[in-house]
Structure formats: structure tokens, C-alpha cells
Amino acid sequence: MKTFYGTPLSNSLMLGTAQYPSPAILEQAFRDSGAGVATVSLRREAGAGQTFWQMVRDLSVLVLPNTAGCHTVKEAVTTAHMAREVFDTKWIKLELIGHTDSLQPDVFQLVEAARILSEDGFEVFPYSTDDLIVGERLLAAGCEVLMPWGAPIGSGRGLNNEYALRAMRAEFPEVPLVIDAGIGLPSHAAHAMELGYDAVLLNTAVARAGDPAAMAKAMKLAIEAGRLAYQADPIEARDMAEPSTPVIGKAFLS
């Protein structure tokens, strides 16, 4: 099991807290998911008040505040400092959006913000693209975790570029890697874990499902299955058929 800044997770699912129909449904989804980490947007949930914050604390999970909605380095750094005061944690999920429609990260500002926050004692979880050079720059800036996207936030498309994600796993074998964004189905989450990723972060797929609690449980089971499959060293795909029953010992009839 990989550790994240020295902290092991009991479950490889990181679950967001936005868009649920009600606080009660959010709480039940977390219970059924077994998620070890709750991601919270300080900006989005600022109006929810102390009741929301207390509910998150009562979940007894690690809290990963994020800088959702930030578009500049200054915005992201300021939001991170506010989140550290509110949640009393060094962890920060660094989101720095560069494209309005796709919500693609601005990787240039992302690296700069990661450097500033790392130097200030934060433990940064950077939401990034699946680019190897960006990954290298983020690690050089002080990050010890990489979080490439599977697909655009909230799209539910799964893993858009499996080749790039496989390359990232191969390039950074010792770095904790988290698929962040784009997961829509349990099969997508299982696929991410089958590629050797260490965790999956998702929100919309559970929060906006017809039955969030049931979907949360499905995601939990899918992630467990995907991890077990990766550890079992699965067979490689073949272009041709291969009989599962040998022909040795077959009767020949004249």
C-alpha cells in the first residue's frame, strides 16, 4: 500500500462532498463507500456553515481541502492558506483551472503554485493532466503525489488516454498516483486500479447518481476488485485465440 505524505489509506477511494441531494445522503454515501478521504471545496461550501464542517469531521475520514474555482496562482495560494486554518491540515488538493469549458488545469501556473505551497509547508495533491513533463516539474516543485485526470471534471467519460496513464505509471513507479476526475462508472474506477494506480478521486459519479449510496458501494467494490486484479498479474491481451484445454490426450477417431 502506498502512503500519501507518510499517511497510509485504509481505502483507495477519495470521495468529494459536493452536489449531494442532502447532507443525510452525503453521509450515507460515505459510510457505504468506506472512503478514507473526503475532499472539500472551501470556496463552494463556505456558505454551508458550521453544521457542514461538523458533519465532515464526524465522518472520521481524512480531509483533503481543495482550491476548486481558482484561476490564478494568487487565488489558489490564498485559498490554500484559508483551508489550512479551517481544517488544520497540511494537505491541499491544488486545482488551478485554465480552460473554462473543459476545466483543464493550467499546468504552467499549477507548477508555480505547487512550488510556493510546498515551500510553505503544504503537502500538495496537484490536479493535473497526464503529461510526463508536467509530472516531472511538479515533483521537482516539491509534490510527492501526482493526480492526473482521467477525463474532464464531471464528464463521466472514464479514462480518455489509457496510453498516457500507463506511461505515467511506468515513468513514476514509486510515486503515489491518483486518477482524479472523469470517472463515471465502477468499471472506470476498476480500470484505473488495474493500471496500477494507487487511488481514485471522484465526486459527480456518486453525488448525482439516482442512488448515491448504492453507487458509492459499487465504487468501493470496483476499486477493491481492480486493485486485486493488478496484484494478481493479469494475462496480456492476444490477437489470436489460445485454447484453454490442451490437445494432448485428445482421442483420435478413425
Side-chain angles (χ1 to χ4, degrees):
M1 176 186 295
K2 284 286 198 305
T3 60
F4 296 80
Y5 292 100
T7 301
L9 300 185
S10 59
N11 184 297
S12 295
L13 176 59
M14 301 179 176
L15 191 57
T17 56
Q19 304 185 65
Y20 290 83
S22 71
I25 292 175
L26 184 158
E27 185 174 3
Q28 188 60 51
F30 264 87
R31 302 297 183 199
D32 290 352
S33 73
V37 175
T39 63
V40 180
S41 169
L42 182 69
R43 293 177 57 144
R44 183 184 297 114
E45 306 295 350
Q50 289 302 313
T51 301
F52 174 80
W53 304 136
Q54 188 58 50
M55 181 189 65
V56 171
R57 293 187 184 98
D58 289 345
L59 293 172
S60 299
V61 297
L62 296 168
V63 174
L64 177 60
N66 67 44
T67 62
C70 293
H71 293 265
T72 67
V73 171
K74 183 177 181 180
E75 267 189 306
V77 170
T78 300
T79 301
H81 278 87
M82 293 170 62
R84 183 163 63 179
E85 291 184 13
V86 171
F87 293 106
D88 190 28
T89 178
K90 295 179 181 180
W91 281 15
I92 191 73
K93 179 189 171 188
L94 181 59
E95 291 186 33
L96 225 164
I97 302 303
H99 191 270
T100 303
D101 293 331
S102 69
L103 301 181
Q104 179 169 328
D106 182 332
V107 296
F108 303 101
Q109 293 196 90
L110 182 70
V111 171
E112 176 62 13
R115 181 189 62 78
I116 293 171
L117 291 173
S118 295
E119 290 176 353
D120 197 31
F122 283 88
E123 295 174 343
V124 181
F125 292 68
Y127 166 60
S128 182
T129 62
D130 49 24
D131 185 279
L132 295 180
I133 304 304
V134 173
E136 289 178 351
R137 298 292 172 84
L138 287 168
L139 294 175
C143 297
E144 296 181 14
V145 175
L146 296 177
M147 301 179 70
W149 65 350
I153 294 172
S155 67
R157 295 181 58 86
L159 308 184
N160 272 353
N161 192 341
E162 181 180 333
Y163 173 82
L165 294 173
R166 285 184 181 275
M168 181 162 277
R169 179 70 285 176
E171 182 72 15
F172 307 114
E174 302 303 322
V175 177
L177 297 183
V178 182
I179 292 292
D180 180 10
I183 299 298
L185 294 169
S187 57
H188 299 156
H191 192 189
M193 299 303 290
E194 288 167 1
L195 295 181
Y197 277 70
D198 301 293
V200 172
L201 193 158
L202 57 89
N203 187 162
T204 307
V206 167
R208 298 185 65 178
D211 186 339
M215 183 60 76
K217 185 174 182 179
M219 290 294 183
K220 173 187 177 181
L221 296 174
I223 287 172
E224 291 175 356
R227 184 62 180 169
L228 285 171
Y230 175 74
Q231 293 174 331
D233 191 17
I235 64 171
E236 295 184 3
R238 295 169 54 92
D239 292 330
M240 300 296 291
E242 180 179 357
S244 57
T245 302
V247 297
I248 298 175
K250 178 182 177 181
F252 291 90
L253 303 178
S254 57

